[in-house]
Amino acid sequence: MAVSFCCRRFQLHLKNSLIQQYRKGYIVLLPELEPNLPEQNPLLKDGFPNFKDIETEKIVTTLGKYLLDFEHQTQVISKQLDVPDNEEAKDEHTPGFIKKVAEPLERVGIPLLTSWGIAKTLYLTDCRVLPRNSFSSLNSRAHGASCSKYSCPGIFQASKSCDLEKLSEEEHRLVEKFRLEGVLNGLDLSSDKFELYQIFKQKLQSETSDFKKKVEISKQYYKTSVKDHQVVAGFPEKLIKQISIDKNDPSRGPWSVPVDSRIKNKFLEYCPDKILRERVWKNSIIIASNEGFSDDLKNSYSLEKIREYRESEAKVLGYENYAALSMETKMAGSVENALGALELLREKARPAHEKELDELQKFAEKSGFRSKLTMADIPYWQRKMKKSLFNFENEELREYFPMEKVMNGALELCQRLFDIRIQESDKVSTWHPDVKFFHVFEGDSTQPIAGFYLDPFDREEKVQNLGYDWVVSIRPAHVMDGKRAMPLSAVILNVPPPAYGKPALMSFSEVESFFGQIGKLLQQLLCSVTYSDLSGLSNVEWDTVAVSSNFMQHWLYNEKVLKSISGHYSTGAEIPIKDIHLLPRHMAGTNLCEELYKANLDLKLFSQSAYWIDIVKGLWDQHFAIAIDPSYNEPLSMVDIVCDNWSAAYYSHIWSKMLAADIYNAFLEEDADEAAVGARFRGTYLEFGGGCDPHEVFRRFRGRDPSPNAYLRYLGLLQ
């Protein structure tokens, strides 16, 4: 049954600006530079970052100058604006807002964004050039400057006076962004309410900071020691390095397993010792709880205060609760729509989870397991069962994914689907000999429309981010003085470099991550908007941000595409996976139930007033067939949901996957013309950026509203 997820007005992308206040009094050393136009940025040479000559001081001074220029220009514009007091003046004011606000801010904003993008790239790829302490303060300062335009009362009032009917679709979205960000920054409040809003905001910032600190300190007490070499014998090399105490000789032992989610999850997948699995899992659910080492590190009270302050903030702004406020920046549009979609999925996933758990128990028992499966056992036996059913083993498949072939196959797929040509160039400066640069061309054109850097290998000087990959926008898509700028981005991976006489090889999960990054990259490079505030992923609703990433990952399970990116590095033999399209269905109900639990927990924490543990108990049995552990306190360490940008937004991960499956299914339908469907996807999801309402984007691509059915069929939960 198709289900419409249509909802109301005003869906805009909002990140940290939701809590951004305009701040004065920063101390930044001003460089002695003349006012520069974007093309005169001292970090650039011939239109490209001059990475060979960029040093720390030049980054700091250049970015410092541009962020101060931006803040100054924002204040100048705000003071010069006249708000119309009648309809006739409003008619003249509307196009004037674009000329007097949007365009001047774009002119001073592009140098800031470009310098900031270069700084981010160098921080992630070479912490010697831009150390963490230097980057952290610089990044925070740049973020504050870029958001300052949304905290200017003059600009906000001017945006409110625009007649949206007289604007283009893109201009409409831009002005609505100024309006909504202003509302969420309290600019529409009376002075008394604004003061109250600021009080709650400050209390929230203080409490979330304390919550994070207690989690970080508490984690140090929950490391599990491993001394038996037999336990780690089958571990991936990267995991052994991550848990090693002696970094110079990781295989020597002993090892220490932290509770950081990525390492913990990988350890549970590979650890053959049930006692150790239980210990690591148990440690991960009691961080900063009553089970802890110190009363000073308990987060239960902090969690409740954070919920209280978020709700108080939302009510001052006129919303029923914080989740309702959060929905202003989501495609779902309302808490009811989001919860309704999650429930449709849960109704299919929960029965499948029970059946899968029974099958996994039988498989484990046949393999010699003599206990009842617990939450700590599922990852290990799930991996074993997947190996038995599909001959799938993430690390063992490395030899069938030579990085060069994966890269070439992925880029060829992009060229085929979206009528572009991607060509490597050795004439552009890079920050490391391993980094490659590519131009992107339109069809047979000789004039590039975009470019990107590819930094594939793990290196000591790269930020140690536990395996995360990144796409950084260096120069966003925009139009300046009638000329369309060439977008630039950087793709930063962490693939093990060539070793032991073998070329660089990728695990299946690394290949999957790379395909996801390609989706983000295409949104940045092929975007056709006029304003950088709407470029790439900017102003894209949170629950649709990952649509293109998830869409590209679907192609991994296409037999033709898999064949084009795989083959044994020395013999060329085909990858020995059986029924690749069935892989996502393995224990799909169990995996989805875990995500649905987190999504529902997040939404209900910030839309209901019940005590947090009561919410947990009410949700657990609805999602899991294994009884809750009496010491379960995991929400007390869920920093991303409680403190960071995923508060009342975690469901976005599932929503994006649901849309992506529906979109990919258009390529599989009978008589589907791949070239035509690819052109339609490019003309909507890749070109619009944040310049079009997400419902309209989907309808223009699919011709209807979204349905969860394609996602359920992809997971094998709907016949």
Side-chain angles (χ1 to χ4, degrees), residues 229 517 636 684 707:
H229 283 70
Q517 302 310 315
L636 300 183
T684 50
S707 163

Side-chain angles (χ1 to χ4, degrees), residues 367-410:
S367 302
F369 188 64
R370 294 292 177 263
S371 302
K372 190 74 172 174
L373 288 173
T374 67
M375 298 295 284
D377 296 320
I378 291 176
Y380 178 77
W381 289 109
Q382 182 176 350
R383 180 181 65 85
K384 289 284 192 179
M385 190 176 188
K386 188 183 290 188
K387 169 71 173 177
S388 174
L389 292 174
F390 304 102
N391 197 30
F392 178 90
E393 178 61 71
N394 185 53
E395 291 297 324
E396 290 179 6
L397 292 176
R398 276 191 187 276
E399 296 193 344
Y400 293 88
F401 287 114
M403 188 190 76
E404 186 174 355
K405 187 167 187 177
V406 172
M407 304 292 179
N408 291 338

Side-chain angles (χ1 to χ4, degrees), residues 204-217:
L204 178 62
Q205 289 173 343
S206 175
E207 200 65 56
T208 54
S209 177
D210 287 345
F211 188 98
K212 291 179 181 180
K213 288 177 182 177
K214 284 185 278 190
V215 170
E216 288 306 309
I217 295 172

Side-chain angles (χ1 to χ4, degrees), residues 303-551:
L303 174 54
E304 289 302 297
K305 296 306 291 184
I306 289 170
R307 295 175 65 203
E308 176 190 332
Y309 295 148
R310 287 200 188 279
E311 182 175 5
S312 298
E313 171 198 343
K315 287 185 174 178
V316 170
L317 292 173
Y319 297 93
E320 183 179 356
N321 50 57
Y322 184 79
L325 179 154
S326 174
M327 289 299 142
E328 290 284 21
T329 61
K330 311 296 186 296
M331 179 182 176
S334 72
V335 177
E336 292 72 27
N337 283 343
L339 290 174
L342 297 179
E343 180 59 18
L344 283 173
L345 298 175
R346 193 195 69 83
E347 288 175 353
K348 299 294 184 181
R350 183 61 171 79
H353 163 56
E354 287 196 36
K355 182 179 179 182
E356 292 164 358
L357 200 59
D358 287 342
E359 292 173 349
L360 190 65
Q361 181 73 49
K362 292 175 182 176
F363 172 81
E365 289 173 356
K366 287 182 180 179
S367 302
F369 188 64
R370 294 292 177 263
S371 302
K372 190 74 172 174
L373 288 173
T374 67
M375 298 295 284
D377 296 320
I378 291 176
Y380 178 77
W381 289 109
Q382 182 176 350
R383 180 181 65 85
K384 289 284 192 179
M385 190 176 188
K386 188 183 290 188
K387 169 71 173 177
S388 174
L389 292 174
F390 304 102
N391 197 30
F392 178 90
E393 178 61 71
N394 185 53
E395 291 297 324
E396 290 179 6
L397 292 176
R398 276 191 187 276
E399 296 193 344
Y400 293 88
F401 287 114
M403 188 190 76
E404 186 174 355
K405 187 167 187 177
V406 172
M407 304 292 179
N408 291 338
L411 298 183
E412 287 171 7
L413 173 65
C414 295
Q415 293 177 129
R416 188 179 85 231
L417 292 179
F418 308 122
D419 191 27
I420 56 177
R421 183 163 47 87
I422 301 173
Q423 183 175 318
E424 185 177 351
S425 171
D426 59 2
K427 301 185 183 304
V428 177
S429 166
T430 66
W431 55 89
H432 191 276
D434 290 335
V435 179
K436 297 181 179 181
F437 181 84
F438 297 85
H439 276 120
V440 180
F441 299 88
E442 188 80 71
D444 296 327
S445 172
T446 58
Q447 186 67 31
I449 59 172
F452 67 95
Y453 302 84
L454 177 61
D455 188 348
F457 300 130
D458 186 18
R459 293 191 302 275
E460 185 177 347
E461 65 267 23
K462 276 189 174 181
V463 168
Q464 299 303 306
N465 48 42
L466 303 182
Y468 285 97
D469 296 328
W470 307 87
V471 174
V472 178
S473 172
I474 296 177
R475 180 166 58 220
H478 67 281
V479 175
M480 185 72 70
D481 297 327
K483 182 180 179 181
R484 181 163 296 282
M486 187 178 83
L488 287 176
S489 295
V491 181
I492 303 165
L493 309 178
N494 285 279
V495 179
Y500 310 116
K502 297 180 181 180
L505 303 171
M506 303 177 74
S507 67
F508 188 84
S509 60
E510 288 168 346
V511 175
E512 188 173 43
S513 175
F514 174 61
F515 268 66
Q517 302 310 315
I518 288 293
K520 295 178 188 176
L521 178 70
L522 292 170
Q523 281 187 280
Q524 294 180 4
L525 300 185
L526 300 183
C527 188
S528 62
V529 297
T530 301
Y531 304 100
S532 60
D533 273 346
L534 307 175
S535 176
L537 297 174
S538 297
N539 200 46
V540 174
E541 281 67 10
W542 275 60
D543 46 8
T544 65
V545 161
V547 166
S548 292
S549 297
N550 287 309
F551 162 76

